[in-house]
Each structure stands twice: as structure tokens, then as C-alpha cells.
Amino acid sequence: MTVDVLRQPTRADRQARAAVAVLFLTNGALFANLLPRYPQIKADLGIGNAAYGLAVAAFPTGAIAAGLAAGVLVRRLGSARVAVAGTLLTGAGALAAGLADSVAVFAAALFLAGAMDAITDVAQNAHGLRVQRRYGRSIINSFHAIWSVGAVTGGAMAAAAIALDLSRGQHLLISGVLFGIAACAALRYCLPGPDTEPIARDEDTTDRGPRQEPNAAAPRRTVYVLAALVLIATAGTLVEDAGNSWATLYLSDSLHASVTLAACGFIALVGAQFVGRLIGDRLVDRFGQRQVARAGGLVAMAGMGLALAVPTVPGTILGFAAAGFGVATLVPAAMHEADELPGLKPGSGLTIVSWLMRLGFLLSPPVVGLVADATSLRAGLLVVPLAGLLVILVAGVLRPRRR
């Protein structure tokens, strides 16, 4: 079954696209306001790197625990409502984490924020895909680029709040209220009705070519390719988490940067990732996803490897920027390839990759924290160039340049 695709978007469609962009913006900005506050929270709670890493891992743990509930909520309540409700609760979780007076409360607040963030992520992507089907062409990457804008905005807001000596409570309350209002306003312009309309799968509705029929003779290769795609997506999440959880801490504690300058490591990573997403489609069309991924892995490995080998504040900020630029297209590439795998029901490969890649966010903080306590945080951050090397080794499963 197919749907009629609107080749010329109506005013309502354009408004819905803008509304979804606002939801992605708020999702990127809310948690990014909390991340630069991590060093202050760690110092106030008086915890070591290992305990800090375990506490921070509560965020992806909450995301994994709540991930499967998102689909049920979207079907029952609608993707737009779920996305807005999740946004409000994510902001509440971030505020609670900023005000936490114990490690247990900090971890519990992050668990809540992570759970709500995962539900928001699924819901806003579901609604974005509804809008994309109305447009009849791909626009989903633009939403993810807007998410990066939100993350940079949130990080910059946090840096400004620190410079203005605002308390964490004041800062995160302002952030939660501001972006909560924006999300509620966006709800009015989202698409009405249920999220159950059939999805077009004709060969001429996308640029992916005909869907391959299941091939019973190749289940082993399907499993191998799927595992490689999970590794590629996980490598991208490992690098993202390095910027989320450790960039500010490494710059402030290990390299003695000011708290305002230390926030620039995270901002540089997310900002460069945004640039990579803006130009990623053109690069893939010209060189193929395989070459783009390998080049990105090389950029991340060389940039962050050099920054760790010769540690300076400017060099480290540039290293995080190189890492963010290098992994910009990895998660979308892995999801796209997984959705095209033969031998799997439509959507199964995408679901598996989306679910398992969150292990990168779950495992990275405690592993880096344990290595940091045993040796140094500089050694723990070797996970970034190693992730780049992993991409180079397994990127062969991605599509080459079209001839």
C-alpha cells in the first residue's frame, strides 16, 4: 500500500516542518545546558572519576530502559504530544541533576532525563518522517542539523551563565522554561491526526533504489553486516559521549583551562558535527558513503590523536572539533544501510542499530572513568582515536560511490 505524496508542500506542511525543527532545537539545547556544569557538580559532590563516570552513565541507562516504551506512547498519544511532553520532563530532569546534593540524586535525575530524552528522540523523529512523507523528499537530515544548532546554543548559554556567575538552579530553570515554552508553542503547528498512515515504499519515492527481497542463502552475511553497522554507529556515539561527558572536565582539570574556555571543547565538537551534517549529503553523493566514513574516521583519529599526543588547550579544542566533524555522518549512514539489509523485515535493521548504538553512551563514561582513575583522563580519551580507527576498519560494509 502506498500514499499520495504531496510534491508541493502546503502552508500547513511548511509550518509543521518549522515546528519539528523547533522540537529538535529544544532537544539539543536542553541537555547541552547541563553538560558544561558537570565539573562544578563533580567538585561539589566530591566524587572521583570512576564514580562520576558511573553516575553519568545513568543518562544512557535511562534511555535504554525507556526506549521500547516510546513506540507505544507514540501510537496511543501521537508523536507531537509525546515529543513535547518528553521535552518538558527532560528539562525537569536536567534541573534536578543540576540541583542534586548527592551522587544518588544526581544519577536518578540523569536517569529520568535520559529516559525522557530517548522518548522525545523517537517521537520527534517519527513526526519528522511524517512531514518528510508530505514533502515527498528527504528533509530528515536538516532536522538533525538543527539539533546540532540547539546543542551549540545550549553549550553557549551554559558558558555565558557560568561567566555571569549564575547559580546552576537559576541557569537551568531559565533554560527549562524557555525551551519548554518553545516546544509547547510548536505543538500547535504539528501535523494533526494519528501517526498510523501507511508509509510509501515504491521504488520511485526514495533515492535508495528498490528494496532487496529477503535472501535465505545469506543470513550469515546479513548478521555480519548488521554487526558492523552497529559498530559504526557505536563509534559515533562514543565520540559524541567523549564531548558530552569529558571534554569540559579534561580541559578544566587536566589542562587547567578556565571554566568558560573549558566549555568550548563540547561546543567545538557539536559545532563541527553540525558543519559535517550540512555538507554530508553532498560529500556522500560525490564520493560514496564508504569513502566519506573512512575519511571521517581518519580525521577523528588523527585530529584527536594529535591533540592527546601534544596536549594544549587550543589543540585539544581543535581535536574535539575534528572528532565531531569526522563522525557527523556515521549514525545516519549506519541506520540507512541497516534499513536496506536483505533478509530482515522492514524497519528491523534500523531498530536494532538504534537500540544497540546506545550502548556506546552507556559503556563509555564508566570505562573512561576507570581508565582515568587508573592512569589519567588523557589516556581515557584515547577512546576517540580508537573509535576513528574502528570506523576505518569496518566501513567496507557501507555503500561505495555510485558509478
Side-chain angles (χ1 to χ4, degrees):
M1 183 181 293
T2 61
V3 294
D4 294 329
V5 179
L6 300 179
R7 298 300 178 183
Q8 294 297 326
T10 65
R11 179 182 179 184
D13 298 329
R14 291 192 294 270
Q15 290 176 335
R17 180 178 182 177
V20 174
V22 170
L23 293 177
F24 272 81
L25 179 77
T26 59
N27 182 249
L30 274 174
F31 197 61
N33 266 279
L34 175 64
L35 293 175
R37 294 288 193 167
Y38 274 3
Q40 296 174 337
I41 296 173
K42 178 176 179 291
D44 289 347
L45 296 178
I47 55 178
N49 287 323
Y52 167 77
L54 290 171
V56 170
F59 186 88
T61 302
I64 291 174
L68 293 179
V72 176
L73 292 172
V74 166
R75 287 191 294 271
R76 290 184 177 180
L77 303 176
S79 56
R81 292 177 180 176
V82 172
V84 173
T87 297
L88 298 176
L89 291 173
T90 299
L95 175 60
L99 296 175
D101 57 1
S102 69
V103 177
V105 174
F106 179 55
L110 289 181
F111 184 92
L112 170 65
M116 294 303 102
D117 179 77
I119 291 173
T120 302
D121 185 46
V122 172
Q124 68 188 11
N125 274 284
H127 206 78
L129 289 171
R130 281 189 67 191
V131 177
Q132 176 171 280
R133 292 194 290 273
R134 300 282 292 247
Y135 268 69
R137 56 185 171 87
S138 177
I139 59 173
I140 195 68
N141 289 325
S142 67
F143 295 137
H144 286 269
I146 292 295
W147 183 94
S148 296
V149 173
V152 172
T153 301
M157 285 176 61
I162 293 171
L164 293 172
D165 201 28
L166 290 180
S167 69
R168 291 196 298 271
Q170 292 173 324
H171 161 214
L172 294 172
L173 179 61
I174 292 171
S175 169
V177 170
L178 174 64
F179 293 113
I181 291 174
C184 290
L187 178 60
R188 177 182 176 184
Y189 299 99
C190 289
L191 294 176
D195 293 77
T196 55
E197 72 268 21
I199 300 174
R201 293 193 182 276
D202 285 355
E203 294 179 15
D204 61 349
T205 58
T206 70
D207 61 355
R208 296 182 295 184
R211 179 177 292 276
Q212 302 180 40
E213 294 299 323
N215 182 359
R220 186 172 300 177
R221 170 160 177 79
T222 297
V223 172
Y224 160 75
V225 173
L226 187 60
L229 294 175
V230 169
L231 289 176
I232 291 172
T234 303
T237 62
L238 285 172
V239 174
E240 287 186 30
D241 183 73
N244 292 348
S245 302
W246 300 104
T248 304
L249 194 63
Y250 176 66
L251 283 161
S252 62
D253 286 5
S254 300
L255 301 184
H256 309 294
S258 66
V259 289
T260 303
L261 188 59
C264 292
F266 167 73
I267 295 172
L269 185 144
V270 178
Q273 188 179 54
F274 167 70
V275 174
R277 286 171 174 168
L278 278 183
I279 66 175
D281 288 334
R282 283 174 288 175
L283 292 176
V284 169
D285 288 341
R286 182 170 182 179
F287 301 106
Q289 185 61 72
R290 182 183 300 173
Q291 289 303 108
V292 171
R294 282 177 173 163
L298 180 61
V299 169
M301 183 180 67
M304 198 62 196
L306 181 61
L308 294 173
V310 186
T312 64
V313 171
T316 299
I317 293 174
L318 289 175
F320 278 112
F325 183 82
V327 304
T329 65
L330 294 186
V331 172
M335 289 182 172
H336 176 267
E337 294 292 336
D339 201 38
E340 296 291 326
L341 281 177
L344 297 176
K345 294 180 180 179
S348 296
L350 175 61
T351 300
I352 292 171
V353 169
S354 300
W355 176 259
L356 292 179
M357 77 175 188
R358 292 187 179 273
L359 290 176
F361 287 115
L362 176 62
L363 297 178
S364 178
V367 169
V368 173
L370 289 170
V371 173
D373 276 352
T375 54
S376 67
L377 184 51
R378 180 182 172 192
L381 285 174
L382 285 172
V383 67
V384 176
L386 289 176
L389 176 61
L390 177 63
V391 171
I392 295 172
L393 294 177
V394 301
V397 300
L398 299 173
R399 295 183 183 184
R401 178 183 178 184
R402 294 179 181 178
R403 297 184 182 277

